């Protein structure tokens, strides 16, 4: 039975969240706090009480956009404690999912809150408490890669990516609809996507074999046509690329 604390500065939202939590049979008790400062004082009492104490809190359901200390600020403070409660963000904003999971959030639930969606977040928290773990593990989705676009996190299918271009510690991912900059070195993407048919053709370029339209030879230089873009192939990668293309055909 989980002991929960819900934090939201909007009373109707807080009341609705508490109603849904109390209706879940896995929630033993649920109390509310109207701002992050009040919540922090309550969590401090819980930590002083200890995991089995009468004031203990297992999981905090936390809004993000609040005056003064916001939800992300509170979550950052909690990472400094030895055994903090689990955190589930409940917010109307999509923009902060990456920061939330960087802070080891169990889940990220968007408002308006659906009963089924909240139940899934409770299930995840209960599972972690049951195994004695306080750190959720978010496995990367092999079929998609998260990108930031206008302050919103989108998940781009890897199969849509035609090629990737090195830009320092970043990589620019190209699709038929545009490009996206991600903070991942090209060498990491090369290792991760090798089994998906991506091949290094140059120190600056990683290309999806299925998106290569032409292989061009001109006066000893090799290039490939990917969509409408022609990319140079370095000498050290030319033979491997030709062999891979021949085997593909």
């Amino acid at each position: 039975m989980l002991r929960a604390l819900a934090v939201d500065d909007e009373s109707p939202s807080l009341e609705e969240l508490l109603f849904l939590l109390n209706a879940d049979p896995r929630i033993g008790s649920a109390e509310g706090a109207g701002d992050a400062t009040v919540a922090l004082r309550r969590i401090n009492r819980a930590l002083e009480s200890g995991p089995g104490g009468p004031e203990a809190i297992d999981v905090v359901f936390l809004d993000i956009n609040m005056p003064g200390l916001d939800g992300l600020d509170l979550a950052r403070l909690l990472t400094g404690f030895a055994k903090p409660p689990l955190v589930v963000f409940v917010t109307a904003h999509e923009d902060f999912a990456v920061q939330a999971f960087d802070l080891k959030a169990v889940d990220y639930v968007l408002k308006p809150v659906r009963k089924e969606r909240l139940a899934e977040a409770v299930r995840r928290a209960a599972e972690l408490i049951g195994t004695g773990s306080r750190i959720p593990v978010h496995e990367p989705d092999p079929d998609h890669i998260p990108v930031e676009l206008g302050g919103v996190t989108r998940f781009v299918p890897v199969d849509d990516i035609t090629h990737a271009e090195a830009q320092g510690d970043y990589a620019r991912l190209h699709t038929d609809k545009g490009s996206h900059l991600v903070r991942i070195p090209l060498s990491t993407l090369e290792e991760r996507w090798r089994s998906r048919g991506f091949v290094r053709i140059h120190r600056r370029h990683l290309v999806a074999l299925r998106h290569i339209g032409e292989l061009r030879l001109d006066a000893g230089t090799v290039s490939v046509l990917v969509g409408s873009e022609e990319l140079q192939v370095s000498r050290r990668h030319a033979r491997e690329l030709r062999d891979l293309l021949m085997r593909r055909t």
Side-chain angles (χ1 to χ4, degrees):
M1 299 291 283
L2 298 181
R3 295 154 295 187
L5 175 65
V7 188
D8 198 312
D9 65 310
E10 297 181 356
S11 294
S13 295
L14 181 59
E15 290 172 7
E16 180 185 12
L17 182 55
L18 287 171
F19 175 80
L20 293 173
L21 288 172
N22 281 310
D24 193 305
R26 292 162 297 194
I27 300 293
S29 63
E31 57 186 285
D35 62 58
T37 302
V38 171
L40 183 58
R41 287 199 293 266
R42 176 65 185 86
I43 293 167
N44 274 325
R45 293 206 312 272
L47 295 174
E48 290 172 359
S49 176
E55 300 270 16
I57 292 173
D58 297 308
V59 55
V60 180
F61 292 84
L62 184 58
D63 188 22
I64 288 181
N65 190 17
M66 294 183 286
L69 191 71
D70 67 22
L72 290 172
D73 292 332
L74 176 57
R76 289 189 188 97
L77 288 173
L78 293 182
T79 61
F81 293 101
K83 292 183 178 180
L86 299 175
V87 172
V88 172
F89 284 101
V90 183
T91 177
H93 302 278
E94 297 180 342
D95 309 24
F96 305 105
V98 172
Q99 294 100 306
F101 289 123
D102 283 345
L103 291 168
K104 307 302 181 185
V106 173
D107 209 342
Y108 194 88
V109 179
L110 289 176
K111 297 178 181 178
V113 179
R114 294 183 295 108
K115 179 181 178 181
E116 298 78 10
R117 183 65 185 86
L118 185 64
E120 172 60 18
V122 173
R123 184 196 67 77
R124 294 182 183 184
E127 190 173 86
L128 285 168
I129 294 295
T131 59
S133 174
R134 293 276 164 171
I135 302 178
V137 177
H138 301 282
E139 295 292 341
D141 180 353
D143 296 323
H144 297 78
I145 184 167
V147 300
E148 291 288 332
L149 185 63
V152 176
T153 301
R154 304 292 185 192
F155 293 89
V156 175
V158 174
D159 287 346
D160 289 353
I161 297 168
T162 59
H163 62 288
E165 178 184 2
Q167 294 190 353
D169 292 333
Y170 292 75
R172 182 166 293 279
L173 309 179
H174 295 266
T175 71
D176 291 338
K177 297 179 181 179
S179 67
H180 311 279
L181 193 64
V182 295
R183 193 170 184 176
I184 305 176
L186 198 65
S187 57
T188 300
L189 294 179
E190 179 184 9
E191 179 68 24
R192 185 183 298 176
W193 291 346
R194 183 177 290 115
S195 62
R196 302 184 68 96
F198 282 80
V199 60
R200 193 72 166 259
I201 65 167
H202 190 276
R203 63 182 178 82
R204 290 192 58 200
H205 290 112
L206 183 69
V207 174
L209 288 172
R210 63 186 169 276
H211 287 292
I212 294 177
E214 295 180 9
L215 177 67
R216 296 178 174 180
L217 305 174
D218 182 19
T221 63
V222 182
S223 63
V224 291
L225 191 66
V226 181
S228 60
E229 191 170 355
E230 185 174 0
L231 303 174
Q232 292 298 123
V233 180
S234 67
R235 288 185 178 182
R236 66 182 294 236
H237 293 106
R239 180 180 293 276
E240 179 189 6
L241 177 62
R242 285 198 299 267
D243 290 345
L244 287 170
L245 289 173
M246 290 297 292
R247 287 202 296 270
R248 188 185 66 162
T249 57

